[in-house]
Every structure is written in structure tokens, then in C-alpha cells.
Amino acid sequence: MRMRFLHPGTERAGITFNCPMDSEEYKRFYEALIAAECEKPKGFEKENLFEGCMPVEMMARRGYDTLRFGPLKPVGVRNPDTGESSYAVVQLRREDTGGTMYSLVGFQTHLKFQEQKRVFSLIPGLENLEILRYGVMHKNTYIDSPKVLDAYGRLKADERISFAGQITGLEGYIESAAGGLIAGIFTAAKVCGFEMPAFGDKTVLGALLKHITASKTRDFQPMNANHGILEALPKRIRNKAEKGMALSARSLLEIDEAKKKFKILEANHV
């Protein structure tokens, strides 16, 4: 996906646009955002929020520069005409093939609808925006997986029943799909009479499974894929890209070894 720079007031075809802000534009947007009125939670709603889906206004209230180190991070985005970096950048992601609808990346929100229109119109280039679908918070229901699931994601009370996806505490589409893949492999192994495969926490599959089945905490929370859940490399690598490549190579090696060891993972079975 190539990131494109959007000058305020212009329209260009592309998958992703960036709306840059200078320091004054950011200040105006920030002050309006933290002062905006939010929807009040109902009596049955709890304020327990997943960190990865934190409302943008709540993030902003943590500190003036929080958004600039989060969803509005300007690193790597430069004005193609001047070469200068922006103070902050709002990213727009195209939502339809015709390029008529865009979403604000990282802008989960609990603001009232009229406040969304007022505040988000302060983003350079979006002064005349038309909101087709207002942002709303949704409830994510999940079970206390470490308490009720065994090491294979099966119900401890009845191992015939397997759980997978978001209900287990996996956060994200790919992560939830991965949970389904693992559940399918374990079920197939059981039905075919093969040895149950093992995925260590050098792999994302294994680390996610470990999180939902073996977390030692009273307050179990959802988790998405990230480097922090993987077993640490034997030698620290400071460069982020190099670290990612090293973790990936180690993970693929681990999976290759598992495919040799466990019959259910052979190509003709999976």
C-alpha cells in the first residue's frame, strides 16, 4: 500500500491519503477534541476499554503529544513538494472501489454525532466533509479463556467443544482467523488419531494460544499479534525492521520443524 500526500482542498485518486497538520492546526484540533462532548455510557455499560481500540478523544486527554506518537504519527510522511515533515498527519483509508468513501485511521470515538462533524471538520482537507457513517463504540464480549479452556483451546469441562476467534480474547481479524486455524488443526488431529501439534511462543500462533489459555492474571484482557508476546531473541536488536525480520525467520523455522514432527501438519493433511 503506497501512502499518498493529500494537500488540503485537493482530490486525488489513491488507496491512502494523508492530511498533514502544522503545529497551529494540530493545536486547534487537539483543543476541540478534548473539549468535545461524548456520549454518556448506559448504566449497564462498563468503561473497561481495550488499549488497541481506545477512543481518539481519550488518547488525546492523556497528553498533548499522545496522538502525535500514535494514530497521527508523522514519521516517514513528507511533503513531496518541499520535503518537509508535518507536525501531525491524519491518514485516510479508502473504503470503496469508486474512491468516494474514506475512513479516518485510528479514530475510534465515543463523541456525540454533532461533535464528530464539528471536530473532524477541523482536519485540513476535510473542512467540507460529509459523514456517511458516524463512529460508535462496540462491545467486545469474550470468555475468561485461561480459566475455562485447556492448552488446545477446548472447554475444560468438555473437550469436545472448542472455542476460537474473538470470543476467546483474540483481538483482530487475522488473529481471530488464526484462532480458527489452530482449532481446526487440533480437532483434525484428534479425529484422525494423530499426536497433537505444539506451537511454541517463538511463533505468533503459539504465543496467542498461550495468552488465551495460560495467562496468569485475574483480569484477563484481549490480545492482538505483536512482538511483545513472542519469546525474546537471544541477542537484542535495536533496529525495528531488523528485529522483525529476525523474529519472522525464527518463527518460520519453528513452523518448518513442527511440520516435520507432527503428521497432522503434513501438506496432504492440512
Side-chain angles (χ1 to χ4, degrees):
M1 179 182 293
R2 183 181 178 187
M3 296 176 63
R4 302 176 185 269
F5 200 91
L6 174 66
H7 296 277
T10 67
E11 295 182 5
R12 293 171 58 190
I15 296 175
T16 303
F17 284 141
N18 294 299
C19 297
M21 293 182 178
D22 59 28
S23 58
E24 286 301 315
E25 289 166 335
Y26 178 79
K27 181 175 184 291
R28 185 163 58 251
F29 171 75
Y30 172 82
E31 290 177 347
L33 180 61
I34 61 173
E37 189 176 1
C38 295
E39 292 287 352
K40 291 181 172 57
K42 306 295 187 296
F44 60 86
E45 293 177 325
K46 296 182 179 180
E47 287 292 327
N48 297 331
L49 299 173
F50 176 56
E51 190 70 23
C53 292
M54 189 68 60
V56 66
E57 64 274 7
M58 190 171 289
M59 276 194 285
R61 293 186 186 112
R62 290 180 171 181
Y64 187 75
D65 287 322
T66 301
L67 294 179
R68 296 183 58 244
F69 287 89
L72 273 66
K73 190 174 183 178
V75 175
V77 181
R78 296 181 179 275
N79 187 318
D81 297 330
T82 66
E84 295 179 352
S85 295
S86 301
Y87 191 77
V89 172
V90 174
Q91 188 178 113
L92 307 179
R93 182 175 54 232
R94 191 168 72 183
E95 296 291 346
D96 68 326
T97 55
T100 61
M101 296 189 298
Y102 289 80
S103 63
L104 299 171
V105 177
F107 271 65
Q108 294 83 6
T109 183
H110 209 221
L111 295 181
K112 289 189 171 183
F113 287 177
Q114 66 269 25
E115 291 289 71
Q116 292 184 39
K117 174 76 171 179
R118 180 180 67 85
V119 175
F120 299 155
S121 293
L122 295 174
I123 298 171
L126 302 184
E127 294 85 355
N128 299 312
L129 89 165
E130 177 187 357
I131 299 180
L132 302 177
R133 184 179 61 195
Y134 285 89
V136 294
M137 297 295 292
H138 67 277
K139 183 178 181 180
N140 183 3
T141 301
Y142 55 95
I143 61 177
D144 190 353
S145 292
K147 185 176 180 180
V148 301
L149 300 183
D150 67 12
Y152 301 106
R154 303 174 302 189
L155 202 60
K156 290 179 180 178
D158 188 343
E159 67 176 32
R160 295 174 302 171
I161 302 174
S162 295
F163 281 81
Q166 203 170 46
I167 197 171
T168 65
L170 294 176
E171 184 67 28
Y173 298 121
I174 294 176
E175 291 85 344
S176 295
L181 173 64
I182 295 174
I185 290 173
F186 287 150
T187 301
K190 179 73 174 177
V191 170
C192 295
F194 295 147
E195 180 184 1
M196 288 290 222
F199 299 97
D201 55 6
K202 292 179 181 177
T203 70
V204 174
L205 285 176
L208 287 173
L209 181 64
K210 182 178 179 180
H211 174 75
I212 65 172
T213 61
S215 290
K216 306 294 184 183
T217 176
R218 289 175 132 187
D219 184 25
F220 175 67
Q221 295 292 319
M223 180 64 66
N224 53 13
N226 64 85
H227 290 169
I229 63 175
L230 295 170
E231 180 182 318
L233 292 166
K235 183 179 179 181
R236 184 178 180 184
I237 301 176
R238 293 184 178 276
N239 183 280
K240 189 174 181 180
E242 292 178 3
K243 180 181 179 181
M245 291 296 292
L247 288 169
S248 176
R250 185 185 67 174
S251 178
L252 291 173
L253 182 62
E254 184 93 349
I255 290 175
D256 284 340
E257 291 300 314
K259 288 165 69 176
K260 296 175 184 176
K261 182 178 179 182
F262 299 105
K263 192 173 181 64
I264 192 61
L265 298 179
E266 292 179 358
N268 59 326
H269 292 296
V270 178

